[in-house]
Amino acid sequence: MADISVKAIVVQREPWYKNPTFLWIVKSTAINLILPFFNGVMLGFGEILANELVFKYGWFGFSRVSSPATALGLGPGIPPSATAEYKKSLQAEAKRLEKLD
């Protein structure tokens, strides 16, 4: 029989935090600072897109108001996105104010 010898290679590796290098610092900076920034940008664009779709298609009873002044509550009238209960309360308040005059 032939003499078969098996040699095992043992690799001892040091933990990554024991030998910081410039490349390690660049990698950790990219993961901890740059990736969250891109995540926030994508979340922001998603929120803007969802908001535009909600108003464009009138989902959940939301719609755009006719003018920017009405949107800020500066103009006359009730915004079209107002609920029925809110509209009733504003009309009741207007009637009450008319009686006082």
Side-chain angles (χ1 to χ4, degrees):
M1 261 199 178
D3 188 19
I4 301 176
S5 62
V6 178
K7 294 181 180 179
I9 299 174
V10 178
V11 177
Q12 293 182 351
R13 302 181 84 183
E14 290 186 30
W16 56 269
Y17 52 85
K18 295 244 180 178
N19 189 15
T21 61
F22 180 72
L23 185 61
W24 174 80
I25 292 170
V26 170
K27 286 179 185 179
S28 65
T29 302
I31 290 173
N32 292 318
L33 297 177
I34 297 171
L35 288 179
F37 170 76
F38 285 123
N39 185 26
V41 169
M42 293 298 116
L43 285 172
F45 280 132
E47 188 172 337
I48 291 169
L49 176 68
N51 195 356
E52 290 298 317
L53 289 176
V54 164
F55 282 110
K56 181 177 181 178
Y57 294 111
W59 293 343
F60 311 111
F62 290 104
S63 62
R64 296 206 187 276
V65 291
S66 57
S67 71
T70 308
L72 294 173
L74 301 175
I78 301 170
S81 61
T83 62
E85 184 177 322
Y86 179 68
K87 289 178 185 178
K88 285 179 189 176
S89 67
L90 285 179
Q91 290 169 353
E93 182 68 19
K95 287 180 184 177
R96 188 184 70 78
L97 290 175
E98 283 177 7
K99 288 180 184 178
L100 292 176
D101 289 338

